Amino acid sequence: MSMVKLVNIKKSFGTLEVLKGIDLEIEKGEVVCVIGPSGSGKSTMLRCINNLEQITEGEIHIEDTLVVKRANNKDVEKGNSDLRNDLGMVFQNFNLFPHLTVLDNITIAPRVVKNADKTAIDQKAMNLLKMVGLVDKANEYPIRLSGGQQQRVAIARALAMDPQIMLFDEPTSALDPELVGEVLDTIKALAQEGMTMIIVTHEISFARDLADRVIFMDDGVICEEGPPEDVILNPKEERTQNFLNRIN
Amino acid sequence: MINQIQMRAIFDGSVLTIKVAFVALFFGLIFGTLIALGRMSKNKVIKSFSWFYVWFFRGTPLLLQLFIIFYAYPIIRIEMTGSGVEMNPMLSAYLAFSLNCAAYSAEIIRAAIESIDHGQMEAAKALGMNYRQAMTRIIIPQTYKRLMAPIGNELIMLIKDTSLVSTIALFDLLRTVKTMASATGDWVYYIYAAVIYLFLTTIFQIVFDKLEVRFGVYEER
Ligand SMILES: Nc1ncnc2c1ncn2[C@@H]1O[C@H](COP(=O)(O)OP(=O)(O)OP(=O)(O)O)[C@@H](O)[C@H]1O
Ligand SMILES: [Mg+2]
């Protein structure tokens, strides 16, 4: 089953065209890492997939079902937008809710959106906290946590909504170097459980080790894609080679 | 000095002052929140209405608004429908002060909401919440701490502004003591009034300072 399918996605902000026709299909259980220079449209692509930005043109399918189809910045066919609930998102700046404890951060969306039963969802949240290794922080406020801990809570928070696909936008870029590992380990554990994931990252060695497929984006298009052995170790495109040389 | 009847009158005047200020703050905050959301709405009609509302009620004197409601409205009504109404002065005061307070509160609340990081709304939406859920559960609760200082300030302004109701036949604290002072020729009544105003404003200042700390516990490392 294809979990996410993008067909000729375009996105402009005013006159600035940021995505210039993206085609991408992701299978169940696949881990896709997206790399590319700053401003190439990596975040915009993720944000379009879960509707934080509205696409100007193209089609988005989730789990083989049309979610949205647009042309000239207008809907041309009604899709089933409920499928967006199957997407979980993790942000570069964590975006935890500062006024809620760690536990409430994780349970608020299930309670508010799905009317989840309080005791059941609390139990589930504690299990998720166990998975990310933060059971003892359940009643702390986010400000008392390190960046790495906050990001692991953010991952647990997204998982509490039972997503089928996880989107990560540079999950370790805001972290001190010594805290990067703990977050990457959590993501690795998810990959081992078979979660379908799209991860925008600057951690090239992480992408090399974990990704089933690496996508190199440049200037609003997918410039090169394939298994990490090809894209990272033996890139064919000159732009990919330049990018990798620059960051190594 | 002061006799029992005067004490009673000063007490009643103070109660009226407090009542008008609190009713205005209560309805002003509720209505002000709606106006604030209206100002940020994508709907052009709602947006312009909210803008116009704030523009009018902040741009004209509260005294004028009070006169429009108490004196002008009955006349307008007679001219339009032929049937007159007698405006209740207390109700007019509540209405004018609430509408006015809503305009000021709207701007305070809007500024507070806009000061919350955009990432909060995005995270809420990414978790499947709709706009209303995100606002009521995520965004607005984060504004409480920031709202306490300006709202405490607004309450103190209201307490002092209630002296305007003397123009529509009501006896607030200031008018009560002024009547006594002119009847007896003794200025000490003004001192009583000053003390009571200061007492009230000090109490509210302390309460709002405490609330600010309480709503901000999650910000303490
Ligand atoms: N809301 C917006 N309004 C206008 N322009 C925007 C907006 N969001 C992004 N852009 C522009 O779109 C382009 C792509 O931005 P995007 O954030 O997708 O890049 P990125 O590949 O994620 O870069 P980085 O590695 O720095 O995160 C940039 O030129 C950016 O300035
Ligand atoms: Mg980005």
Side-chain angles (χ1 to χ4, degrees), chain A:
Chain A
M1 176 160 76
S2 118
M3 296 299 278
V4 178
K5 185 167 139 194
L6 308 182
V7 182
N8 194 28
I9 297 293
K10 293 183 181 161
K11 171 67 188 174
S12 304
F13 293 105
T15 55
L16 176 71
E17 191 172 48
V18 173
L19 299 180
K20 301 176 179 173
I22 302 268
D23 290 283
L24 179 64
E25 193 165 350
I26 291 166
E27 294 297 318
K28 191 167 175 58
E30 208 179 357
V31 176
V32 174
C33 285
V34 182
I35 59 173
S38 182
S40 55
K42 306 180 297 294
S43 298
T44 305
M45 181 176 78
L46 284 195
R47 294 164 56 80
C48 284
I49 294 174
N50 78 351
N51 207 28
L52 289 177
E53 304 288 358
Q54 200 166 35
I55 57 174
T56 318
E57 197 173 319
E59 292 169 34
I60 298 177
H61 302 252
I62 295 175
E63 293 162 49
D64 289 330
T65 310
L66 181 71
V67 174
V68 61
K69 178 168 180 175
R70 287 167 67 80
N72 296 318
N73 218 1
K74 289 194 185 66
D75 286 350
V76 291
E77 201 180 319
K78 266 271 158 275
N80 181 357
S81 52
D82 288 348
L83 283 155
R84 287 215 160 97
N85 294 336
D86 283 354
L87 302 170
M89 175 121 181
V90 173
F91 300 86
Q92 181 172 350
N93 303 318
F94 332 133
N95 290 339
L96 289 184
F97 305 131
H99 63 305
L100 301 177
T101 62
V102 165
L103 189 68
D104 287 339
N105 260 278
I106 299 173
T107 60
I108 187 140
R111 280 188 282 129
V112 170
V113 179
K114 293 182 171 170
N115 269 321
D117 171 63
K118 173 104 173 89
T119 43
I121 193 64
D122 279 356
Q123 186 53 51
K124 179 174 176 180
M126 290 311 286
N127 289 339
L128 287 167
L129 281 175
K130 197 180 290 169
M131 189 201 115
V132 300
L134 291 170
V135 174
D136 55 324
K137 302 290 185 195
N139 295 312
E140 291 283 7
Y141 285 109
I143 199 165
R144 303 204 181 102
L145 271 52
S146 73
Q149 291 170 332
Q150 290 193 43
Q151 192 62 298
R152 286 185 279 152
V153 172
I155 293 171
R157 179 177 71 172
L159 292 174
M161 289 298 280
D162 296 318
Q164 301 300 308
I165 303 135
M166 286 286 283
L167 311 175
F168 291 85
D169 191 1
E170 300 194 30
T172 59
S173 294
L175 297 177
D176 292 336
E178 72 272 18
L179 301 176
V180 168
E182 62 190 62
V183 172
L184 294 184
D185 288 344
T186 305
I187 299 174
K188 259 181 214 158
L190 270 183
Q192 270 145 22
E193 285 176 24
M195 178 64 80
T196 310
M197 299 197 277
I198 308 179
I199 307 167
V200 174
T201 184
H202 287 301
E203 302 284 334
I204 298 298
S205 60
F206 173 73
R208 188 191 58 214
D209 296 345
L210 191 72
D212 298 308
R213 183 157 37 131
V214 173
I215 287 176
F216 172 70
M217 270 181 81
D218 193 16
D219 200 19
V221 295
I222 293 179
C223 181
E224 181 165 358
E225 67 176 304
E229 305 82 71
D230 294 353
V231 179
I232 291 178
L233 300 177
N234 293 301
K236 288 188 193 62
E237 298 288 330
E238 199 183 322
R239 283 193 280 177
T240 319
Q241 291 163 4
N242 288 342
F243 172 74
L244 289 168
N245 285 339
R246 230 180 317 125
I247 63 171
N248 276 337

Side-chain angles (χ1 to χ4, degrees), chain B residues 24 57 62 65-67 69 91-101:
Chain B
F57 282 95
L62 174 53
Q65 295 157 20
L66 200 58
F67 285 175
I69 290 169
L91 215 60
S92 305
Y94 286 152
L95 193 59
F97 276 76
S98 299
L99 293 175
N100 185 271
C101 177

